Amino acid sequence: MRIDFVTLFPGMFPSVMDASMMARAQEKGLVSWGCVNPRDFTTDKHHKVDDRPFGGGPGMLMMAEPLEKAIKSIKTKNSKVVLLSPQGKTFNDKTALRFSREEHLILVCGHYEGIDERLMPLFHEEISVGDYVLTGGELPSMLVADAVARLVPGVLKKEDAAVSESFTGGLLDFPQYTRPRVWKGREVPEVLFSGDHAKIAEWRLNAARKATKKKRPDLLERA
Ligand code: 58G
């Protein structure tokens, strides 16, 4: 999968997009990414990308022309063009799985007070990562890229893939433990040493249900 970010701040991306799982996904040739800067598509002396809103009001808007040119410079028939904005549909695991099947994602990051409304026909989808306003779409776009890339087949080890299914299956993850067996007097549940895989699976399902009921009862009500 190819992920392109359209952003005025490309310097924000490498530390997140070249670390950890993202680094391995790129080494395996499963994911690649890049940035396109609308400022590089300006033709005026000052490389102007923002202007004041007609009708007045505080702040600045991203101008239509540089943003459209930036998107069109990378868009093909196989591109899914997504705008990150607080007005979008809330992003979740289902959206992530759907996007993970795309060949080319273009994640468009607005800045300032927003973008010229006449750009809206360019976007296939408008997505929000939650009900709060940020100074730009850059952090949301990387959040989406992370959630999507980990679902691209081959990025995670086989056994990990099931973990995401357990969340989309409607329950939170079960509690997990690693060494040492006793830490600060706190013991690991005995059943996990039994070697009885059916019994362990049963314990984990029950523990997942209990955790979901306690932490996220809204998930149980939806299921
Ligand atoms: C219209 C209005 C288009 C995403 C505003 C673009 C982005 C929160 C989220 C914008 C964001 C979220 C202006 C600054 C959106 C831009 C950007 N804030 N909750 N801020 O996903």
Side-chain angles (χ1 to χ4, degrees):
M1 153 176 283
R2 171 74 185 184
I3 304 175
D4 281 306
F5 301 95
V6 176
T7 174
L8 294 173
F9 300 93
M12 290 177 70
F13 289 80
S15 65
V16 171
M17 291 303 295
D18 290 335
S20 183
M21 169 208 78
M22 279 295 182
R24 283 198 308 279
Q26 289 175 82
E27 283 158 15
K28 291 186 195 169
L30 298 170
V31 176
S32 71
W33 69 275
C35 286
V36 181
N37 191 339
R39 204 175 290 282
D40 296 335
F41 295 84
T42 52
T43 50
D44 64 308
K45 183 166 93 192
H46 294 105
H47 302 288
K48 193 174 160 64
V49 288
D50 61 331
D51 209 339
R52 290 173 311 212
F54 282 126
M60 301 290 268
L61 292 179
M62 285 177 81
M63 295 162 67
E65 190 69 12
L67 195 55
E68 187 205 44
K69 281 185 170 146
I71 294 167
K72 286 196 167 162
S73 76
I74 47 171
K75 187 180 168 175
T76 71
K77 289 274 157 293
N78 300 317
S79 307
K80 162 87 88 183
V81 186
V82 178
L83 175 69
L84 286 307
S85 111
Q87 294 155 57
K89 288 230 166 66
T90 307
F91 184 73
N92 62 24
D93 235 32
K94 281 209 171 66
T95 323
L97 189 63
R98 199 157 54 73
F99 285 179
S100 75
R101 299 188 186 113
E102 296 288 341
E103 191 172 297
H104 184 204
L105 268 189
I106 299 177
L107 301 175
V108 180
C109 311
H111 227 89
Y112 313 114
E113 302 314 307
I115 64 176
D116 191 306
E117 184 70 19
R118 291 167 295 185
L119 285 164
M120 293 313 287
L122 270 172
F123 305 112
H124 297 120
E125 299 195 32
E126 190 176 0
I127 295 288
S128 164
V129 300
D131 286 339
Y132 37 84
V133 177
L134 301 165
T135 54
E138 283 77 11
L139 290 169
S141 73
M142 286 187 266
L143 183 150
V144 166
D146 186 287
V148 168
R150 69 184 288 282
L151 298 178
V152 170
V155 169
L156 292 184
K157 287 174 249 116
K158 265 256 153 52
E159 62 265 25
D160 291 347
V163 172
S164 83
E165 280 160 27
S166 86
F167 187 86
T168 41
L171 289 180
L172 297 183
D173 217 353
F174 47 79
Q176 300 201 82
Y177 307 85
T178 187
R179 292 191 293 180
R181 189 167 171 158
V182 183
W183 180 70
K184 295 189 174 172
R186 284 170 245 179
E187 287 180 24
V188 175
E190 198 62 37
V191 63
L192 299 177
F193 306 104
S194 67
D196 184 338
H197 296 295
K199 222 169 133 191
I200 291 171
E202 188 192 328
W203 180 86
R204 284 178 165 169
L205 178 60
N206 187 47
R209 286 184 177 136
K210 265 170 61 188
T212 310
K213 191 169 176 196
K214 186 161 172 234
K215 299 184 195 181
R216 292 291 307 278
D218 57 303
L219 289 178
L220 284 179
E221 278 144 36
R222 246 191 287 162

